[in-house]
Amino acid sequence: MKRNKVLLGVNIDHIAQVRQARLGTEPDPLVFARLAEKSGADGITVHLREDRRHIQDKDVLNLRKRIRARLNLEMAGTDAMVSFACRVKPEEVCLVPEKREELTTEGGLDVLRNREKIRAFVSRLKKSGICVSIFVDPLQGQILASQEVGADCVELHTGAYAGAQSNLQKKLEYRKLVLAGQCALKAGLILNAGHGLDYRNVVPVSRMTGMHELNIGYSIVVRALTVGLEKAVQEMKSLI
Ligand code: PXP
């Protein structure tokens, strides 16, 4: 049976994080978004966090105007963020939970416990023509609740799979993803996944039935640093 092409959304938060280390203008996330596009990225993903630790409002506005790939804005479900998204109109918004003290998004959004609030945010975003995804743990209850509040997609949190410490644990976590994926497709949702995916663990997730898009950031940036350092040092050496 012929497999559908799985799309790649490249998350460029960590490019902005390097820039913020010096509060300068480089590296510019727009330049990297364009390079990612040129290299085959189907979408560009950014997380505009409440603490603005990496991506800034102006980055999102710049990307909106100047990239051709789809823009996927990850954000917390708050009034301020929903208003921002309705103004900027990315093709897609992915609602994620956010805690100030976390290093990165730690768990999926608890849709079951926050149904009414999330339903209202989903409705406002959809009225602005934005496709709405919800980042959820691979649990049937959260997936069905996402469908019930009107989401178009779910992004399955692959963090537990990616972080599994043994083969058995990895198998169990993968099984949860597969069952969650089946549940999402049955509910008529578009199926995406992401978090902690890298060059060693991505293939089984990309082979899941009905997988539409994977959002990957950290491992791609790490790989870019690894394969790019040689050339960067050689160029500097030749200048001096
Ligand atoms: N998807 C979501 C919802 C995320 O919050 C993140 C991390 O920002 C990613 C995907 C990408 O994760 P990673 O950087 O580990 O590839």
Side-chain angles (χ1 to χ4, degrees), residues 176-220:
K176 282 189 207 165
L177 290 170
V178 169
L179 292 176
Q182 288 168 353
C183 173
L185 295 177
K186 243 195 198 161
L189 293 162
I190 298 170
L191 177 63
N192 298 338
H195 212 286
L197 295 176
D198 63 25
Y199 294 81
R200 276 165 304 184
N201 64 25
V202 73
V203 170
V205 180
S206 73
R207 298 288 190 271
M208 279 168 55
T209 303
M211 184 54 71
H212 176 68
E213 181 169 61
L214 300 177
N215 281 305
I216 306 179
Y218 188 74
S219 65
I220 292 178

mmCIF file of all heavy atoms in Angstrom, residues 176-220:
data_model
loop_
_atom_site.group_PDB
_atom_site.id
_atom_site.type_symbol
_atom_site.label_atom_id
_atom_site.label_comp_id
_atom_site.label_asym_id
_atom_site.label_seq_id
_atom_site.Cartn_x
_atom_site.Cartn_y
_atom_site.Cartn_z
ATOM 1 N N LYS A 176 1.106 3.134 22.885
ATOM 2 C CA LYS A 176 0.152 4.177 23.301
ATOM 3 C C LYS A 176 -0.059 5.184 22.173
ATOM 4 O O LYS A 176 -1.170 5.628 21.926
ATOM 5 C CB LYS A 176 0.693 4.949 24.527
ATOM 6 C CG LYS A 176 0.550 4.222 25.829
ATOM 7 C CD LYS A 176 0.920 5.183 26.966
ATOM 8 C CE LYS A 176 1.424 4.403 28.157
ATOM 9 N NZ LYS A 176 2.118 5.239 29.149
ATOM 10 N N LEU A 177 1.033 5.525 21.485
ATOM 11 C CA LEU A 177 0.926 6.481 20.377
ATOM 12 C C LEU A 177 0.076 5.908 19.245
ATOM 13 O O LEU A 177 -0.765 6.598 18.665
ATOM 14 C CB LEU A 177 2.318 6.852 19.846
ATOM 15 C CG LEU A 177 3.182 7.719 20.771
ATOM 16 C CD1 LEU A 177 4.609 7.810 20.241
ATOM 17 C CD2 LEU A 177 2.597 9.123 20.919
ATOM 18 N N VAL A 178 0.302 4.616 18.959
ATOM 19 C CA VAL A 178 -0.444 3.984 17.863
ATOM 20 C C VAL A 178 -1.940 3.963 18.189
ATOM 21 O O VAL A 178 -2.783 4.334 17.355
ATOM 22 C CB VAL A 178 0.091 2.557 17.598
ATOM 23 C CG1 VAL A 178 -0.825 1.779 16.668
ATOM 24 C CG2 VAL A 178 1.501 2.631 17.013
ATOM 25 N N LEU A 179 -2.279 3.572 19.419
ATOM 26 C CA LEU A 179 -3.699 3.523 19.809
ATOM 27 C C LEU A 179 -4.310 4.918 19.790
ATOM 28 O O LEU A 179 -5.437 5.128 19.334
ATOM 29 C CB LEU A 179 -3.844 2.897 21.210
ATOM 30 C CG LEU A 179 -3.495 1.405 21.291
ATOM 31 C CD1 LEU A 179 -3.568 0.915 22.727
ATOM 32 C CD2 LEU A 179 -4.423 0.568 20.401
ATOM 33 N N ALA A 180 -3.542 5.889 20.288
ATOM 34 C CA ALA A 180 -4.029 7.274 20.297
ATOM 35 C C ALA A 180 -4.230 7.775 18.866
ATOM 36 O O ALA A 180 -5.205 8.470 18.566
ATOM 37 C CB ALA A 180 -3.049 8.164 21.044
ATOM 38 N N GLY A 181 -3.315 7.389 17.981
ATOM 39 C CA GLY A 181 -3.427 7.795 16.583
ATOM 40 C C GLY A 181 -4.688 7.223 15.952
ATOM 41 O O GLY A 181 -5.427 7.918 15.244
ATOM 42 N N GLN A 182 -4.965 5.946 16.248
ATOM 43 C CA GLN A 182 -6.188 5.314 15.700
ATOM 44 C C GLN A 182 -7.422 6.038 16.211
ATOM 45 O O GLN A 182 -8.376 6.291 15.480
ATOM 46 C CB GLN A 182 -6.238 3.838 16.114
ATOM 47 C CG GLN A 182 -5.207 2.996 15.380
ATOM 48 C CD GLN A 182 -5.047 1.601 15.981
ATOM 49 O OE1 GLN A 182 -5.616 1.292 17.025
ATOM 50 N NE2 GLN A 182 -4.258 0.771 15.328
ATOM 51 N N CYS A 183 -7.389 6.382 17.489
ATOM 52 C CA CYS A 183 -8.524 7.067 18.108
ATOM 53 C C CYS A 183 -8.753 8.440 17.435
ATOM 54 O O CYS A 183 -9.882 8.819 17.124
ATOM 55 C CB CYS A 183 -8.232 7.210 19.607
ATOM 56 S SG CYS A 183 -9.421 8.196 20.493
ATOM 57 N N ALA A 184 -7.649 9.156 17.183
ATOM 58 C CA ALA A 184 -7.757 10.488 16.564
ATOM 59 C C ALA A 184 -8.345 10.378 15.157
ATOM 60 O O ALA A 184 -9.236 11.156 14.777
ATOM 61 C CB ALA A 184 -6.382 11.142 16.520
ATOM 62 N N LEU A 185 -7.867 9.405 14.393
ATOM 63 C CA LEU A 185 -8.352 9.258 13.015
ATOM 64 C C LEU A 185 -9.837 8.894 13.010
ATOM 65 O O LEU A 185 -10.623 9.414 12.220
ATOM 66 C CB LEU A 185 -7.541 8.194 12.272
ATOM 67 C CG LEU A 185 -6.058 8.513 12.034
ATOM 68 C CD1 LEU A 185 -5.355 7.345 11.367
ATOM 69 C CD2 LEU A 185 -5.887 9.775 11.193
ATOM 70 N N LYS A 186 -10.213 7.994 13.931
ATOM 71 C CA LYS A 186 -11.619 7.590 14.034
ATOM 72 C C LYS A 186 -12.508 8.773 14.378
ATOM 73 O O LYS A 186 -13.654 8.866 13.946
ATOM 74 C CB LYS A 186 -11.758 6.549 15.146
ATOM 75 C CG LYS A 186 -12.228 5.214 14.666
ATOM 76 C CD LYS A 186 -12.654 4.424 15.848
ATOM 77 C CE LYS A 186 -12.732 2.956 15.566
ATOM 78 N NZ LYS A 186 -12.703 2.194 16.797
ATOM 79 N N ALA A 187 -11.956 9.694 15.178
ATOM 80 C CA ALA A 187 -12.714 10.878 15.590
ATOM 81 C C ALA A 187 -12.713 11.946 14.495
ATOM 82 O O ALA A 187 -13.269 13.032 14.680
ATOM 83 C CB ALA A 187 -12.124 11.437 16.885
ATOM 84 N N GLY A 188 -12.048 11.658 13.374
ATOM 85 C CA GLY A 188 -12.045 12.596 12.246
ATOM 86 C C GLY A 188 -11.030 13.720 12.404
ATOM 87 O O GLY A 188 -11.135 14.755 11.739
ATOM 88 N N LEU A 189 -10.053 13.524 13.287
ATOM 89 C CA LEU A 189 -9.049 14.562 13.516
ATOM 90 C C LEU A 189 -7.819 14.333 12.635
ATOM 91 O O LEU A 189 -7.482 13.181 12.318
ATOM 92 C CB LEU A 189 -8.603 14.540 14.987
ATOM 93 C CG LEU A 189 -9.679 14.956 15.998
ATOM 94 C CD1 LEU A 189 -9.301 14.483 17.401
ATOM 95 C CD2 LEU A 189 -9.884 16.460 15.979
ATOM 96 N N ILE A 190 -7.159 15.418 12.259
ATOM 97 C CA ILE A 190 -5.865 15.317 11.574
ATOM 98 C C ILE A 190 -4.850 14.914 12.634
ATOM 99 O O ILE A 190 -4.904 15.419 13.770
ATOM 100 C CB ILE A 190 -5.495 16.673 10.924
ATOM 101 C CG1 ILE A 190 -6.530 17.050 9.858
ATOM 102 C CG2 ILE A 190 -4.093 16.638 10.339
ATOM 103 C CD1 ILE A 190 -6.394 18.478 9.339
ATOM 104 N N LEU A 191 -3.929 14.036 12.254
ATOM 105 C CA LEU A 191 -2.992 13.468 13.234
ATOM 106 C C LEU A 191 -1.572 14.013 13.032
ATOM 107 O O LEU A 191 -0.948 13.776 12.006
ATOM 108 C CB LEU A 191 -2.981 11.936 13.068
ATOM 109 C CG LEU A 191 -2.022 11.156 13.941
ATOM 110 C CD1 LEU A 191 -2.354 11.325 15.420
ATOM 111 C CD2 LEU A 191 -2.052 9.671 13.558
ATOM 112 N N ASN A 192 -1.118 14.752 14.034
ATOM 113 C CA ASN A 192 0.262 15.257 14.052
ATOM 114 C C ASN A 192 0.957 14.713 15.300
ATOM 115 O O ASN A 192 0.297 14.185 16.199
ATOM 116 C CB ASN A 192 0.281 16.789 14.099
ATOM 117 C CG ASN A 192 -0.362 17.430 12.879
ATOM 118 O OD1 ASN A 192 -0.455 16.800 11.838
ATOM 119 N ND2 ASN A 192 -0.812 18.662 13.014
ATOM 120 N N ALA A 193 2.268 14.863 15.359
ATOM 121 C CA ALA A 193 2.990 14.426 16.558
ATOM 122 C C ALA A 193 4.277 15.219 16.691
ATOM 123 O O ALA A 193 4.773 15.793 15.719
ATOM 124 C CB ALA A 193 3.309 12.928 16.470
ATOM 125 N N GLY A 194 4.790 15.268 17.893
ATOM 126 C CA GLY A 194 6.064 15.949 18.097
ATOM 127 C C GLY A 194 6.486 15.989 19.541
ATOM 128 O O GLY A 194 5.708 15.711 20.449
ATOM 129 N N HIS A 195 7.727 16.345 19.727
ATOM 130 C CA HIS A 195 8.430 16.553 20.992
ATOM 131 C C HIS A 195 9.457 15.447 21.231
ATOM 132 O O HIS A 195 9.092 14.292 21.379
ATOM 133 C CB HIS A 195 7.500 16.647 22.205
ATOM 134 C CG HIS A 195 8.071 17.563 23.249
ATOM 135 N ND1 HIS A 195 9.123 17.201 24.043
ATOM 136 C CD2 HIS A 195 7.773 18.842 23.575
ATOM 137 C CE1 HIS A 195 9.427 18.217 24.828
ATOM 138 N NE2 HIS A 195 8.634 19.229 24.564
ATOM 139 N N GLY A 196 10.710 15.836 21.208
ATOM 140 C CA GLY A 196 11.799 14.907 21.496
ATOM 141 C C GLY A 196 12.122 13.970 20.344
ATOM 142 O O GLY A 196 12.925 13.043 20.507
ATOM 143 N N LEU A 197 11.529 14.195 19.175
ATOM 144 C CA LEU A 197 11.835 13.293 18.044
ATOM 145 C C LEU A 197 13.218 13.632 17.503
ATOM 146 O O LEU A 197 13.593 14.801 17.412
ATOM 147 C CB LEU A 197 10.770 13.427 16.945
ATOM 148 C CG LEU A 197 9.371 12.969 17.368
ATOM 149 C CD1 LEU A 197 8.360 13.217 16.252
ATOM 150 C CD2 LEU A 197 9.368 11.482 17.767
ATOM 151 N N ASP A 198 13.980 12.577 17.173
ATOM 152 C CA ASP A 198 15.329 12.805 16.645
ATOM 153 C C ASP A 198 15.624 11.817 15.528
ATOM 154 O O ASP A 198 14.751 11.065 15.091
ATOM 155 C CB ASP A 198 16.370 12.770 17.774
ATOM 156 C CG ASP A 198 16.449 11.409 18.460
ATOM 157 O OD1 ASP A 198 16.095 10.390 17.830
ATOM 158 O OD2 ASP A 198 16.866 11.363 19.635
ATOM 159 N N TYR A 199 16.890 11.819 15.081
ATOM 160 C CA TYR A 199 17.247 11.021 13.913
ATOM 161 C C TYR A 199 17.193 9.515 14.188
ATOM 162 O O TYR A 199 17.184 8.721 13.274
ATOM 163 C CB TYR A 199 18.632 11.457 13.397
ATOM 164 C CG TYR A 199 18.589 12.881 12.867
ATOM 165 C CD1 TYR A 199 18.660 13.975 13.736
ATOM 166 C CD2 TYR A 199 18.402 13.135 11.521
ATOM 167 C CE1 TYR A 199 18.575 15.276 13.268
ATOM 168 C CE2 TYR A 199 18.318 14.431 11.034
ATOM 169 C CZ TYR A 199 18.400 15.493 11.921
ATOM 170 O OH TYR A 199 18.290 16.778 11.438
ATOM 171 N N ARG A 200 17.196 9.136 15.476
ATOM 172 C CA ARG A 200 17.154 7.704 15.798
ATOM 173 C C ARG A 200 15.748 7.191 16.070
ATOM 174 O O ARG A 200 15.444 6.041 15.866
ATOM 175 C CB ARG A 200 18.026 7.409 17.020
ATOM 176 C CG ARG A 200 19.479 7.217 16.643
ATOM 177 C CD ARG A 200 20.337 7.300 17.866
ATOM 178 N NE ARG A 200 20.092 8.585 18.528
ATOM 179 C CZ ARG A 200 20.726 9.030 19.591
ATOM 180 N NH1 ARG A 200 21.624 8.296 20.152
ATOM 181 N NH2 ARG A 200 20.451 10.205 20.109
ATOM 182 N N ASN A 201 14.872 8.062 16.582
ATOM 183 C CA ASN A 201 13.562 7.550 17.021
ATOM 184 C C ASN A 201 12.395 7.947 16.119
ATOM 185 O O ASN A 201 11.248 7.578 16.385
ATOM 186 C CB ASN A 201 13.287 7.984 18.477
ATOM 187 C CG ASN A 201 13.168 9.500 18.619
ATOM 188 O OD1 ASN A 201 12.834 10.185 17.661
ATOM 189 N ND2 ASN A 201 13.410 10.019 19.816
ATOM 190 N N VAL A 202 12.654 8.730 15.076
ATOM 191 C CA VAL A 202 11.546 9.322 14.325
ATOM 192 C C VAL A 202 10.827 8.338 13.392
ATOM 193 O O VAL A 202 9.616 8.472 13.161
ATOM 194 C CB VAL A 202 12.045 10.551 13.518
ATOM 195 C CG1 VAL A 202 12.891 10.137 12.321
ATOM 196 C CG2 VAL A 202 10.894 11.425 13.070
ATOM 197 N N VAL A 203 11.568 7.348 12.875
ATOM 198 C CA VAL A 203 10.985 6.541 11.793
ATOM 199 C C VAL A 203 9.688 5.826 12.210
ATOM 200 O O VAL A 203 8.671 5.936 11.516
ATOM 201 C CB VAL A 203 12.043 5.589 11.184
ATOM 202 C CG1 VAL A 203 11.409 4.583 10.243
ATOM 203 C CG2 VAL A 203 13.076 6.425 10.424
ATOM 204 N N PRO A 204 9.664 5.096 13.347
ATOM 205 C CA PRO A 204 8.403 4.425 13.686
ATOM 206 C C PRO A 204 7.221 5.401 13.813
ATOM 207 O O PRO A 204 6.105 5.077 13.418
ATOM 208 C CB PRO A 204 8.708 3.757 15.038
ATOM 209 C CG PRO A 204 10.190 3.620 15.075
ATOM 210 C CD PRO A 204 10.735 4.792 14.323
ATOM 211 N N VAL A 205 7.475 6.580 14.333
ATOM 212 C CA VAL A 205 6.380 7.556 14.485
ATOM 213 C C VAL A 205 5.913 8.031 13.110
ATOM 214 O O VAL A 205 4.713 8.182 12.855
ATOM 215 C CB VAL A 205 6.815 8.746 15.382
ATOM 216 C CG1 VAL A 205 5.676 9.743 15.533
ATOM 217 C CG2 VAL A 205 7.271 8.249 16.746
ATOM 218 N N SER A 206 6.880 8.224 12.213
ATOM 219 C CA SER A 206 6.503 8.686 10.870
ATOM 220 C C SER A 206 5.731 7.616 10.097
ATOM 221 O O SER A 206 5.005 7.918 9.163
ATOM 222 C CB SER A 206 7.751 9.096 10.078
ATOM 223 O OG SER A 206 8.467 7.945 9.700
ATOM 224 N N ARG A 207 5.881 6.355 10.503
ATOM 225 C CA ARG A 207 5.190 5.253 9.810
ATOM 226 C C ARG A 207 3.798 4.973 10.378
ATOM 227 O O ARG A 207 3.108 4.081 9.902
ATOM 228 C CB ARG A 207 6.006 3.959 9.895
ATOM 229 C CG ARG A 207 7.373 4.016 9.247
ATOM 230 C CD ARG A 207 7.275 4.046 7.719
ATOM 231 N NE ARG A 207 8.591 3.866 7.121
ATOM 232 C CZ ARG A 207 9.435 4.847 6.830
ATOM 233 N NH1 ARG A 207 9.108 6.103 7.083
ATOM 234 N NH2 ARG A 207 10.614 4.583 6.277
ATOM 235 N N MET A 208 3.409 5.684 11.412
ATOM 236 C CA MET A 208 2.075 5.421 11.991
ATOM 237 C C MET A 208 0.985 5.721 10.964
ATOM 238 O O MET A 208 1.070 6.712 10.235
ATOM 239 C CB MET A 208 1.860 6.303 13.238
ATOM 240 C CG MET A 208 2.518 5.743 14.481
ATOM 241 S SD MET A 208 2.562 6.939 15.846
ATOM 242 C CE MET A 208 0.832 7.380 15.988
ATOM 243 N N THR A 209 -0.025 4.879 10.926
ATOM 244 C CA THR A 209 -1.115 5.059 9.964
ATOM 245 C C THR A 209 -1.727 6.453 10.120
ATOM 246 O O THR A 209 -2.047 6.870 11.229
ATOM 247 C CB THR A 209 -2.215 4.008 10.224
ATOM 248 O OG1 THR A 209 -1.614 2.735 10.134
ATOM 249 C CG2 THR A 209 -3.362 4.138 9.230
ATOM 250 N N GLY A 210 -1.847 7.137 9.004
ATOM 251 C CA GLY A 210 -2.549 8.428 9.001
ATOM 252 C C GLY A 210 -1.733 9.594 9.525
ATOM 253 O O GLY A 210 -2.265 10.697 9.663
ATOM 254 N N MET A 211 -0.433 9.379 9.783
ATOM 255 C CA MET A 211 0.365 10.493 10.318
ATOM 256 C C MET A 211 0.448 11.608 9.274
ATOM 257 O O MET A 211 0.814 11.373 8.128
ATOM 258 C CB MET A 211 1.769 9.994 10.703
ATOM 259 C CG MET A 211 2.640 11.056 11.363
ATOM 260 S SD MET A 211 1.857 11.833 12.804
ATOM 261 C CE MET A 211 1.912 10.491 13.998
ATOM 262 N N HIS A 212 0.118 12.813 9.682
ATOM 263 C CA HIS A 212 0.064 13.934 8.753
ATOM 264 C C HIS A 212 1.333 14.776 8.823
ATOM 265 O O HIS A 212 1.967 15.044 7.811
ATOM 266 C CB HIS A 212 -1.168 14.784 9.095
ATOM 267 C CG HIS A 212 -1.296 16.020 8.268
ATOM 268 N ND1 HIS A 212 -1.580 15.985 6.928
ATOM 269 C CD2 HIS A 212 -1.162 17.329 8.586
ATOM 270 C CE1 HIS A 212 -1.624 17.218 6.456
ATOM 271 N NE2 HIS A 212 -1.359 18.060 7.439
ATOM 272 N N GLU A 213 1.698 15.189 10.049
ATOM 273 C CA GLU A 213 2.854 16.094 10.169
ATOM 274 C C GLU A 213 3.593 15.857 11.474
ATOM 275 O O GLU A 213 2.985 15.635 12.518
ATOM 276 C CB GLU A 213 2.385 17.549 10.112
ATOM 277 C CG GLU A 213 3.534 18.550 10.216
ATOM 278 C CD GLU A 213 3.103 19.970 9.902
ATOM 279 O OE1 GLU A 213 2.238 20.493 10.613
ATOM 280 O OE2 GLU A 213 3.628 20.545 8.937
ATOM 281 N N LEU A 214 4.919 15.957 11.406
ATOM 282 C CA LEU A 214 5.749 15.886 12.609
ATOM 283 C C LEU A 214 6.384 17.256 12.823
ATOM 284 O O LEU A 214 6.902 17.856 11.871
ATOM 285 C CB LEU A 214 6.841 14.828 12.445
ATOM 286 C CG LEU A 214 6.339 13.396 12.208
ATOM 287 C CD1 LEU A 214 7.506 12.442 11.992
ATOM 288 C CD2 LEU A 214 5.488 12.915 13.389
ATOM 289 N N ASN A 215 6.336 17.731 14.055
ATOM 290 C CA ASN A 215 6.986 18.997 14.395
ATOM 291 C C ASN A 215 8.258 18.702 15.171
ATOM 292 O O ASN A 215 8.201 18.114 16.246
ATOM 293 C CB ASN A 215 6.032 19.871 15.222
ATOM 294 C CG ASN A 215 5.038 20.547 14.326
ATOM 295 O OD1 ASN A 215 5.425 21.235 13.372
ATOM 296 N ND2 ASN A 215 3.762 20.327 14.576
ATOM 297 N N ILE A 216 9.377 19.111 14.597
ATOM 298 C CA ILE A 216 10.675 18.754 15.173
ATOM 299 C C ILE A 216 11.577 19.992 15.235
ATOM 300 O O ILE A 216 11.670 20.739 14.253
ATOM 301 C CB ILE A 216 11.360 17.654 14.322
ATOM 302 C CG1 ILE A 216 10.404 16.449 14.149
ATOM 303 C CG2 ILE A 216 12.672 17.208 14.965
ATOM 304 C CD1 ILE A 216 10.949 15.319 13.312
ATOM 305 N N GLY A 217 12.195 20.206 16.390
ATOM 306 C CA GLY A 217 13.038 21.384 16.541
ATOM 307 C C GLY A 217 14.430 21.071 17.041
ATOM 308 O O GLY A 217 15.420 21.150 16.305
ATOM 309 N N TYR A 218 14.512 20.683 18.290
ATOM 310 C CA TYR A 218 15.791 20.572 18.982
ATOM 311 C C TYR A 218 16.801 19.704 18.226
ATOM 312 O O TYR A 218 17.945 20.111 18.013
ATOM 313 C CB TYR A 218 15.541 20.015 20.391
ATOM 314 C CG TYR A 218 16.750 20.029 21.274
ATOM 315 C CD1 TYR A 218 17.207 21.221 21.816
ATOM 316 C CD2 TYR A 218 17.441 18.861 21.557
ATOM 317 C CE1 TYR A 218 18.334 21.238 22.618
ATOM 318 C CE2 TYR A 218 18.562 18.872 22.359
ATOM 319 C CZ TYR A 218 19.009 20.054 22.894
ATOM 320 O OH TYR A 218 20.114 20.069 23.682
ATOM 321 N N SER A 219 16.382 18.505 17.825
ATOM 322 C CA SER A 219 17.353 17.588 17.212
ATOM 323 C C SER A 219 17.860 18.135 15.882
ATOM 324 O O SER A 219 19.021 17.897 15.515
ATOM 325 C CB SER A 219 16.748 16.194 17.024
ATOM 326 O OG SER A 219 15.696 16.233 16.098
ATOM 327 N N ILE A 220 17.019 18.879 15.174
ATOM 328 C CA ILE A 220 17.462 19.433 13.883
ATOM 329 C C ILE A 220 18.485 20.542 14.115
ATOM 330 O O ILE A 220 19.504 20.637 13.417
ATOM 331 C CB ILE A 220 16.246 19.931 13.055
ATOM 332 C CG1 ILE A 220 15.400 18.737 12.619
ATOM 333 C CG2 ILE A 220 16.705 20.743 11.848
ATOM 334 C CD1 ILE A 220 14.147 19.088 11.829
#
